Amino acid sequence: MIPFSLLAVLLVGAAIQIHGADALPGHQINCGAGSEHAAGNVTWVPDGRFVTVGNATDIKSPGTMPMLSSLRYFPDTSARKYCYVLPAEKKAKYLVRTTYFYGGFDGGESPPVFDQIIEGTRWSQVDTAADYAMGRATYYEAVVRAMGKEVSVCLARSAATAPGKSPFISALEVVPLEDSVYNSTDFASYALSTIARHSFGHDGSSVISNPGDQFNRYWEPYSDGSRPVVESQGSVEPAALWNKAPEDVFRRGVTASRGETLELQWPPALLPAANYYLALYFQDNRTPSPLSWRVFDVAVNGQAFFAGLNVSTAGSMLYGAQWPLSGQTKITLTPAPGSPVGPVINAAELMMVVPLGGRTNPRDVIGMEALARGFVSPPSDWRGDPCLPQGNSWTGVACSQEPLARVISLNLTNFNVGGSISDHIANLTAISSIWLAGNNLTGTIPDMSPLHHLASLHLENNRLTGPILQSLGTLPKLQELFVQNNNLQGIIPSNLKNRMGITFEYTPGNTLS
């Protein structure tokens, strides 16, 4: 669903410039690593706390920086997705960044292609071949709101994944954002996927710079070489600007001569047709004076974006929350008549507005996560959203196809699952069939009286104990009940024993009367 969010960065043998003494909040995860690694104010931690599947390996490429010297890959072809799950604050906003450096870990010459999923929405395709051929890593970045107390970031095979190839990941970052940042977006319905973020007036080097950004956003240097560069030593107040752009990005910019229009072809890549969040940043680099003012109009692809912008030394920001763009984009700054100096621009961000792919009913999420915790050795993909995206639900789980998805069937027959059946299975009030036969389940059969749509319940060939609850006989649509070959005891409820139109199998293997 997300056709484009690729940002190439030269990370091999290069240093990320990180300023500021305070430790970066959130989680910075070095995937596949065996120990912590500190870089400036960032401490990269191993990923074992956040993922339960996959294999770790080291990269043998000489000169590879520490955060890219290991990775985790996922060879299990039976799994529908491979998920990292991180603690979060419910309804808080997070910047999520995934980084990939292939390094030939599987003995091949080109990296695999696969999908990445965030909070149940298919975010983008990961295709790093072009960057890897130039010795580069690739990163993808999104801003998303946590639906619950966790954030899930998953990888998945797709039709583009070649046979014998495995999805992999080098690094994962999840950083909390303040409420004001990108706050014009309805994050209950959309996410933002970063297309470009540049600090203008630099030499165009592809080396990442992170000039004191409190959220560790990457501002890549950019200059087309055809415009005069301005430098400033003035004081900017990032706290006054909603997106908290760091002060350092206002230190340089590009300008035009007095009376001239400034045009920028930015971003440099062609854009797929979509709606975008566009933020532009400006600062007047001169000493404040009543006779020294800088006013201009801003247009994007010929459409008025803002009229009469009066740029101050304290900095200014403009944004468009849902701006339609496609193909080449041109930003035009036209000076006001009589303006003593030409227009200036210092930095810009562009992010695709991504409609969320629905969500699973929170009641069902609670129920399925409780089942996963109660089971021993559930399928390896029982992490992240149980139903979404479509085609990447948990193994054995089928869901309704609607914006608020419901679990409608569960089939783990002969999966060698142990543990017990959580009482929270009663949360699955839209389910019509539960097949857990042929496993190693112990404990009692929980109360399922709220499951009014349940038609088929298969629990045979396990090690369940305790009675058959009378409440099973009250389920209005129940047509099949198979519990033979367990260790159940007690009296069979009369509303089951005498019920017409039900197939009820309870022998052999139980002590029931």
Side-chain angles (χ1 to χ4, degrees):
M1 186 176 67
I2 314 302
F4 180 96
S5 87
L6 185 71
L7 295 167
V9 295
L10 184 62
L11 288 173
V12 182
I16 300 178
Q17 300 172 22
I18 299 174
H19 303 273
D22 293 339
L24 186 69
H27 301 279
Q28 294 76 42
I29 302 169
N30 191 354
C31 301
S35 60
E36 292 186 356
H37 172 78
N41 66 337
V42 177
T43 299
W44 295 92
V45 301
D47 61 356
R49 291 169 46 202
F50 311 104
V51 66
T52 60
V53 295
N55 299 337
T57 190
D58 292 329
I59 296 300
K60 305 302 182 184
S61 298
T64 303
M65 62 185 302
M67 72 171 272
L68 299 178
S69 62
S70 64
L71 59 80
R72 183 171 294 273
Y73 67 99
F74 304 92
D76 181 6
T77 58
S78 67
R80 297 177 181 177
K81 56 189 172 188
Y82 320 94
C83 294
Y84 284 79
V85 178
L86 294 87
E89 180 182 344
K90 186 175 182 180
K91 296 189 177 179
K93 192 168 24 182
Y94 291 88
L95 181 144
V96 177
R97 182 161 54 235
T98 53
T99 303
Y100 302 93
F101 181 65
Y102 172 57
F105 76 90
D106 57 2
E109 296 183 356
S110 61
V113 178
F114 50 92
D115 287 344
Q116 55 184 355
I117 299 162
I118 186 169
E119 286 291 87
T121 292
R122 186 168 284 107
W123 170 15
S124 64
Q125 184 182 77
V126 176
D127 186 352
T128 66
D131 298 313
Y132 180 67
M134 294 185 288
R136 295 176 175 175
T138 305
Y139 76 84
Y140 297 76
E141 185 184 278
V143 177
V144 66
R145 191 175 81 173
M147 297 300 182
K149 294 182 178 181
E150 295 176 328
V151 169
S152 65
V153 181
C154 310
L155 309 180
R157 281 178 163 77
S158 68
T161 308
K165 287 288 190 177
S166 300
F168 73 96
I169 184 169
S170 302
L172 170 62
E173 300 164 78
V174 178
V175 179
L177 298 176
E178 294 182 8
D179 289 342
S180 71
V181 181
Y182 314 123
N183 68 353
S184 62
T185 301
D186 175 13
F187 285 100
S189 303
Y190 301 96
L192 297 178
S193 184
T194 304
I195 300 300
R197 183 183 293 113
H198 283 103
S199 180
F200 296 130
H202 296 269
D203 63 4
S205 169
S206 60
V207 178
I208 285 180
S209 69
N210 178 7
D213 193 303
Q214 68 183 94
F215 308 118
N216 200 32
R217 290 170 297 188
Y218 295 160
W219 299 79
E220 298 184 61
Y222 180 81
S223 175
D224 62 9
S226 64
R227 293 292 179 181
V229 173
V230 295
E231 297 190 24
S232 172
Q233 300 299 321
S235 177
V236 179
E237 297 294 337
L241 305 177
W242 286 354
N243 289 350
K244 305 293 191 294
E247 186 173 1
D248 281 1
V249 304
F250 293 94
R251 296 297 184 206
R252 296 174 69 90
V254 292
T255 188
S257 299
R258 177 179 179 176
E260 290 188 358
T261 295
L262 173 60
E263 289 188 349
L264 288 177
Q265 299 288 339
W266 183 90
L270 299 178
L271 300 176
N275 288 333
Y276 292 84
Y277 177 94
L278 173 61
L280 307 175
Y281 302 90
F282 312 88
Q283 191 222 13
D284 192 340
N285 65 308
R286 301 165 306 139
T287 302
S289 166
L291 301 178
S292 180
W293 48 278
R294 193 190 293 266
V295 177
F296 50 88
D297 296 338
V298 181
V300 178
N301 290 340
Q303 300 295 312
F305 195 74
F306 193 88
L309 176 65
N310 190 349
V311 177
S312 70
T313 57
S316 304
M317 184 190 89
L318 300 178
Y319 75 91
Q322 293 252 4
W323 199 266
L325 296 173
S326 65
Q328 185 65 62
T329 302
K330 181 171 68 174
I331 298 173
T332 305
L333 311 180
T334 304
S339 180
V341 288
V344 66
I345 185 169
N346 298 80
E349 294 181 275
L350 186 67
M351 309 172 94
M352 183 184 289
V353 180
V354 180
L356 298 181
R359 58 183 301 203
T360 299
N361 188 297
R363 179 189 185 99
D364 287 28
V365 172
I366 292 171
M368 292 303 300
E369 289 179 346
L371 279 177
R373 288 192 298 270
F375 288 162
V376 174
S377 299
S380 61
D381 55 15
W382 273 43
R383 299 265 284 173
D385 193 291
C387 291
L388 298 173
Q390 293 182 17
N392 297 100
S393 64
W394 291 2
T395 292
V397 177
C399 302
S400 61
Q401 306 300 319
E402 53 188 311
L404 198 62
R406 300 299 308 273
V407 176
I408 57 175
S409 72
L410 171 61
N411 185 355
L412 291 183
T413 302
N414 296 324
F415 262 81
N416 199 33
V417 174
S420 59
I421 305 172
S422 169
D423 292 341
H424 285 91
I425 198 170
N427 281 30
L428 309 179
T429 53
I431 201 163
S432 61
S433 64
I434 298 173
W435 289 14
L436 298 174
N439 289 294
N440 297 307
L441 296 173
T442 59
T444 59
I445 300 173
D447 178 23
M448 301 185 191
S449 56
L451 307 186
H452 295 161
H453 295 279
L454 186 63
S456 179
L457 178 59
H458 282 253
L459 301 175
E460 68 269 26
N461 302 321
N462 280 287
R463 294 186 287 144
L464 298 170
T465 56
I468 297 177
L469 300 180
Q470 186 174 5
S471 59
L472 285 175
T474 67
L475 298 179
K477 294 187 178 181
L478 190 63
Q479 298 175 358
E480 293 182 344
L481 176 58
F482 288 69
V483 295
Q484 68 271 27
N485 292 318
N486 279 287
N487 299 312
L488 302 174
Q489 309 93 28
I491 298 174
I492 300 172
S494 59
N495 58 358
L496 279 174
K497 197 168 188 179
N498 301 324
R499 182 168 172 171
M500 302 295 292
I502 184 174
T503 303
F504 179 28
E505 298 288 344
Y506 57 90
T507 60
N510 297 305
T511 308
L512 297 167
S513 60

